[in-house]
Amino acid sequence: MLLAMVSSSRPGWLAIWVLALLSACGAAKQAPPDDTATGAAASALPAPAPQAVAGLYSADEALRDVLSGPLHYVGTGPWLGVSRLQACVFRNERVVVVNAYCTLTDSHAFRIDVYSPTRGRVRIYAEGKGPVIAQTRQSYFTFTAESEPLPDPQLATRPLALTMSLQELRDYDQKRYEAFLPACYGGTELNRPRGGCLGALAPRASEWTNQHRGFLAQASDDWYRVMREMRALASKYGKEPARED
Protein backbone atom coordinates (compact mmCIF):
# COMPACT_ATOMS: atom_id res chain seq x y z
CA MET A 1 0.00 0.00 0.00
CA LEU A 2 2.83 2.38 0.85
CA LEU A 3 4.40 1.84 -2.57
CA ALA A 4 1.04 2.49 -4.32
CA MET A 5 0.53 5.73 -2.39
CA VAL A 6 3.99 7.01 -3.19
CA SER A 7 3.71 6.02 -6.86
CA SER A 8 0.49 7.99 -7.29
CA SER A 9 1.70 11.18 -5.62
CA ARG A 10 5.45 11.36 -6.33
CA PRO A 11 7.66 11.01 -9.40
CA GLY A 12 8.78 7.50 -10.48
CA TRP A 13 12.26 7.90 -9.02
CA LEU A 14 10.78 8.23 -5.56
CA ALA A 15 8.85 4.98 -5.97
CA ILE A 16 12.07 3.25 -6.98
CA TRP A 17 13.82 4.66 -3.90
CA VAL A 18 11.11 3.37 -1.56
CA LEU A 19 11.23 -0.06 -3.20
CA ALA A 20 14.97 -0.24 -2.63
CA LEU A 21 14.50 0.82 0.99
CA LEU A 22 11.95 -1.91 1.62
CA SER A 23 14.20 -4.53 0.03
CA ALA A 24 17.09 -3.49 2.26
CA CYS A 25 14.93 -3.81 5.38
CA GLY A 26 13.84 -7.31 4.40
CA ALA A 27 17.43 -8.38 3.79
CA ALA A 28 18.45 -7.04 7.20
CA LYS A 29 15.83 -9.19 8.89
CA GLN A 30 17.19 -12.33 7.18
CA ALA A 31 20.88 -11.61 7.74
CA PRO A 32 22.77 -14.21 9.86
CA PRO A 33 23.94 -13.29 13.38
CA ASP A 34 27.12 -11.28 13.63
CA ASP A 35 29.88 -13.81 14.36
CA THR A 36 31.96 -11.15 16.05
CA ALA A 37 29.20 -10.31 18.47
CA THR A 38 28.49 -13.97 19.15
CA GLY A 39 32.16 -14.62 19.88
CA ALA A 40 32.33 -11.67 22.25
CA ALA A 41 29.29 -12.91 24.14
CA ALA A 42 30.72 -16.44 24.37
CA SER A 43 34.04 -15.17 25.69
CA ALA A 44 32.18 -13.38 28.45
CA LEU A 45 30.78 -16.69 29.74
CA PRO A 46 32.72 -18.56 32.45
CA ALA A 47 35.09 -21.23 31.15
CA PRO A 48 33.78 -24.81 31.53
CA ALA A 49 35.13 -26.78 34.45
CA PRO A 50 37.99 -29.19 33.59
CA GLN A 51 36.74 -32.65 32.78
CA ALA A 52 37.59 -35.43 35.23
CA VAL A 53 40.19 -37.88 34.02
CA ALA A 54 38.48 -40.88 32.47
CA GLY A 55 39.80 -44.41 32.46
CA LEU A 56 39.11 -45.94 35.86
CA TYR A 57 39.67 -49.41 34.49
CA SER A 58 38.73 -51.72 37.35
CA ALA A 59 40.30 -55.00 38.41
CA ASP A 60 37.04 -56.86 37.78
CA GLU A 61 36.78 -55.45 34.26
CA ALA A 62 40.39 -56.31 33.49
CA LEU A 63 39.95 -59.90 34.65
CA ARG A 64 36.83 -60.28 32.53
CA ASP A 65 38.78 -59.00 29.53
CA VAL A 66 41.54 -61.55 30.16
CA LEU A 67 38.93 -64.32 30.25
CA SER A 68 36.99 -63.01 27.24
CA GLY A 69 38.76 -65.20 24.71
CA PRO A 70 41.70 -67.52 24.05
CA LEU A 71 45.12 -66.16 24.99
CA HIS A 72 47.85 -66.26 22.37
CA TYR A 73 51.50 -66.38 23.36
CA VAL A 74 53.60 -63.30 22.53
CA GLY A 75 56.91 -64.05 24.23
CA THR A 76 58.97 -64.53 27.39
CA GLY A 77 61.63 -62.11 28.56
CA PRO A 78 62.68 -59.36 30.99
CA TRP A 79 60.04 -56.85 32.09
CA LEU A 80 60.25 -53.39 33.58
CA GLY A 81 60.65 -53.45 37.36
CA VAL A 82 61.15 -57.21 37.58
CA SER A 83 64.62 -58.43 38.55
CA ARG A 84 65.96 -61.98 38.14
CA LEU A 85 62.57 -63.21 36.90
CA GLN A 86 61.18 -63.16 33.39
CA ALA A 87 57.66 -62.33 32.30
CA CYS A 88 55.36 -64.19 29.92
CA VAL A 89 53.20 -62.04 27.66
CA PHE A 90 49.92 -63.07 26.06
CA ARG A 91 47.10 -61.37 24.20
CA ASN A 92 43.54 -61.92 23.10
CA GLU A 93 41.15 -59.73 21.12
CA ARG A 94 40.75 -57.25 23.99
CA VAL A 95 43.92 -56.99 26.05
CA VAL A 96 47.57 -57.79 26.51
CA VAL A 97 48.24 -59.62 29.78
CA VAL A 98 51.65 -59.96 31.41
CA ASN A 99 52.41 -62.68 33.95
CA ALA A 100 55.23 -60.77 35.61
CA TYR A 101 56.62 -63.75 37.59
CA CYS A 102 56.44 -66.47 34.96
CA THR A 103 58.32 -69.34 36.61
CA LEU A 104 58.09 -73.05 35.96
CA THR A 105 57.46 -73.75 39.64
CA ASP A 106 54.89 -72.18 41.93
CA SER A 107 55.84 -68.87 43.51
CA HIS A 108 54.93 -67.15 46.77
CA ALA A 109 53.97 -64.06 44.76
CA PHE A 110 51.82 -63.53 41.70
CA ARG A 111 51.34 -60.42 39.56
CA ILE A 112 49.54 -59.66 36.35
CA ASP A 113 49.54 -56.44 34.34
CA VAL A 114 46.59 -56.04 31.98
CA TYR A 115 46.82 -53.50 29.14
CA SER A 116 43.76 -52.40 27.21
CA PRO A 117 44.10 -50.17 24.11
CA THR A 118 40.86 -48.43 25.08
CA ARG A 119 40.77 -48.49 28.90
CA GLY A 120 44.29 -48.26 30.28
CA ARG A 121 46.25 -50.55 32.60
CA VAL A 122 45.42 -52.62 35.68
CA ARG A 123 47.96 -54.35 37.94
CA ILE A 124 46.99 -56.95 40.54
CA TYR A 125 49.53 -58.36 43.01
CA ALA A 126 49.18 -61.10 45.63
CA GLU A 127 51.69 -62.59 48.05
CA GLY A 128 51.44 -65.22 50.78
CA LYS A 129 53.63 -67.45 52.94
CA GLY A 130 53.42 -70.36 50.53
CA PRO A 131 52.70 -70.87 46.82
CA VAL A 132 49.98 -68.32 46.18
CA ILE A 133 48.22 -70.51 43.62
CA ALA A 134 47.16 -72.83 46.47
CA GLN A 135 45.88 -70.04 48.72
CA THR A 136 42.78 -67.88 48.95
CA ARG A 137 42.47 -64.18 49.63
CA GLN A 138 42.28 -64.68 53.40
CA SER A 139 45.79 -66.17 53.37
CA TYR A 140 47.44 -63.32 51.44
CA PHE A 141 49.38 -60.85 53.55
CA THR A 142 49.65 -58.58 50.51
CA PHE A 143 46.89 -58.04 47.95
CA THR A 144 46.82 -54.84 45.91
CA ALA A 145 45.33 -53.45 42.73
CA GLU A 146 46.24 -50.42 40.66
CA SER A 147 44.46 -48.63 37.82
CA GLU A 148 46.03 -46.24 35.34
CA PRO A 149 44.43 -44.44 32.37
CA LEU A 150 45.82 -44.43 28.85
CA PRO A 151 48.78 -42.12 28.22
CA ASP A 152 47.97 -38.69 26.81
CA PRO A 153 48.05 -38.91 22.98
CA GLN A 154 50.41 -35.93 22.96
CA LEU A 155 53.10 -37.96 24.68
CA ALA A 156 55.91 -39.17 22.46
CA THR A 157 54.82 -42.77 22.64
CA ARG A 158 53.29 -45.14 20.17
CA PRO A 159 49.73 -46.10 21.16
CA LEU A 160 49.29 -49.61 22.48
CA ALA A 161 48.34 -52.15 19.81
CA LEU A 162 47.36 -55.75 20.44
CA THR A 163 49.61 -56.79 17.54
CA MET A 164 52.81 -55.46 19.14
CA SER A 165 55.81 -57.73 19.53
CA LEU A 166 57.38 -58.42 22.92
CA GLN A 167 60.06 -55.77 22.33
CA GLU A 168 57.49 -53.21 21.19
CA LEU A 169 55.42 -53.89 24.30
CA ARG A 170 58.48 -53.47 26.52
CA ASP A 171 59.26 -50.15 24.81
CA TYR A 172 55.65 -49.02 25.26
CA ASP A 173 55.73 -49.93 28.96
CA GLN A 174 59.01 -48.08 29.47
CA LYS A 175 57.59 -44.88 27.96
CA ARG A 176 54.35 -45.32 29.90
CA TYR A 177 56.36 -45.59 33.12
CA GLU A 178 58.43 -42.51 32.31
CA ALA A 179 55.27 -40.47 31.69
CA PHE A 180 54.36 -40.53 35.43
CA LEU A 181 50.68 -41.04 34.68
CA PRO A 182 47.99 -40.49 37.32
CA ALA A 183 46.90 -43.69 39.02
CA CYS A 184 44.67 -45.13 41.74
CA TYR A 185 45.73 -47.98 44.01
CA GLY A 186 44.65 -49.80 47.12
CA GLY A 187 44.54 -53.01 49.14
CA THR A 188 46.73 -54.37 51.90
CA GLU A 189 50.51 -54.56 52.02
CA LEU A 190 51.99 -56.73 54.77
CA ASN A 191 48.48 -56.77 56.27
CA ARG A 192 48.38 -52.98 56.43
CA PRO A 193 45.80 -51.02 54.43
CA ARG A 194 47.01 -48.65 51.77
CA GLY A 195 45.41 -46.69 48.98
CA GLY A 196 44.77 -43.42 47.23
CA CYS A 197 44.82 -41.70 43.86
CA LEU A 198 47.66 -39.65 42.45
CA GLY A 199 47.81 -36.66 40.13
CA ALA A 200 44.67 -35.73 38.21
CA LEU A 201 42.87 -38.77 39.65
CA ALA A 202 43.18 -37.56 43.26
CA PRO A 203 39.55 -36.32 43.42
CA ARG A 204 38.34 -39.80 42.46
CA ALA A 205 39.93 -41.71 45.32
CA SER A 206 36.63 -42.54 47.02
CA GLU A 207 35.12 -43.62 43.68
CA TRP A 208 37.98 -46.03 43.02
CA THR A 209 37.92 -47.34 46.60
CA ASN A 210 34.19 -48.06 46.42
CA GLN A 211 34.66 -49.72 43.05
CA HIS A 212 37.31 -52.11 44.41
CA ARG A 213 36.26 -52.65 48.03
CA GLY A 214 34.60 -56.02 47.43
CA PHE A 215 37.33 -57.34 45.16
CA LEU A 216 40.18 -56.39 47.49
CA ALA A 217 38.38 -57.90 50.49
CA GLN A 218 37.31 -61.20 48.95
CA ALA A 219 38.95 -61.46 45.49
CA SER A 220 36.65 -63.12 42.93
CA ASP A 221 36.12 -66.31 40.97
CA ASP A 222 37.60 -64.57 37.92
CA TRP A 223 40.77 -63.83 39.88
CA TYR A 224 41.29 -67.48 40.75
CA ARG A 225 40.46 -68.55 37.18
CA VAL A 226 43.06 -66.16 35.78
CA MET A 227 45.67 -67.36 38.28
CA ARG A 228 45.07 -70.98 37.31
CA GLU A 229 45.28 -70.15 33.61
CA MET A 230 48.48 -68.15 34.06
CA ARG A 231 49.96 -70.99 36.14
CA ALA A 232 49.17 -73.52 33.41
CA LEU A 233 50.70 -71.30 30.72
CA ALA A 234 53.77 -70.61 32.87
CA SER A 235 54.49 -74.33 33.08
CA LYS A 236 54.86 -74.23 29.29
CA TYR A 237 56.40 -70.83 28.58
CA GLY A 238 58.02 -69.82 31.88
CA LYS A 239 61.63 -69.82 33.04
CA GLU A 240 63.24 -70.34 36.39
CA PRO A 241 64.83 -67.31 38.12
CA ALA A 242 68.31 -66.36 37.05
CA ARG A 243 70.93 -67.60 39.48
CA GLU A 244 72.71 -65.00 41.55
CA ASP A 245 76.49 -65.03 41.31
Side-chain angles (χ1 to χ4, degrees), residues 73-80 86-91 96-99 160-174 239:
Y73 177 63
V74 177
T76 300
W79 198 254
L80 180 68
Q86 296 201 20
C88 296
V89 182
F90 307 90
R91 64 165 172 255
V96 170
V97 55
V98 178
N99 180 356
L160 176 70
L162 298 178
T163 55
M164 283 179 169
S165 67
L166 179 63
Q167 184 59 55
E168 288 171 332
L169 288 167
R170 284 202 298 253
D171 292 344
Y172 170 86
D173 196 55
Q174 179 72 42
K239 292 186 177 180

Side-chain angles (χ1 to χ4, degrees), residues 110 133 221 223-233:
F110 177 77
I133 189 66
D221 291 342
W223 164 249
Y224 297 116
R225 286 181 59 194
V226 168
M227 277 208 304
R228 290 193 297 268
E229 186 162 349
M230 290 293 105
R231 181 65 257 152
L233 291 168

Side-chain angles (χ1 to χ4, degrees), residues 34-182:
D34 186 347
D35 290 341
T36 303
T38 303
S43 63
L45 296 174
Q51 295 296 311
V53 177
L56 288 183
Y57 192 26
S58 75
D60 283 324
E61 290 171 319
L63 293 170
R64 285 197 296 269
D65 284 343
V66 173
L67 296 170
S68 66
L71 292 171
H72 304 283
Y73 177 63
V74 177
T76 300
W79 198 254
L80 180 68
V82 180
S83 60
R84 295 186 60 233
L85 301 178
Q86 296 201 20
C88 296
V89 182
F90 307 90
R91 64 165 172 255
N92 60 21
E93 293 184 354
R94 291 189 184 180
V95 292
V96 170
V97 55
V98 178
N99 180 356
Y101 309 145
C102 194
T103 56
L104 294 173
T105 55
D106 293 340
S107 172
H108 290 205
F110 177 77
R111 187 188 109 193
I112 58 167
D113 297 349
V114 182
Y115 299 81
S116 166
T118 60
R119 299 298 309 281
R121 180 184 67 91
V122 162
R123 171 175 293 172
I124 308 173
Y125 176 83
E127 187 174 357
K129 294 182 178 180
V132 71
I133 189 66
Q135 300 181 49
T136 61
R137 167 66 187 94
Q138 287 66 34
S139 299
Y140 306 159
F141 55 76
T142 294
F143 189 50
T144 60
E146 178 182 317
S147 299
E148 184 181 85
L150 292 170
D152 190 309
Q154 295 182 352
L155 294 174
T157 181
R158 177 182 173 186
L160 176 70
L162 298 178
T163 55
M164 283 179 169
S165 67
L166 179 63
Q167 184 59 55
E168 288 171 332
L169 288 167
R170 284 202 298 253
D171 292 344
Y172 170 86
D173 196 55
Q174 179 72 42
K175 292 176 181 178
R176 176 206 61 78
Y177 174 78
E178 293 171 351
F180 297 103
L181 300 176

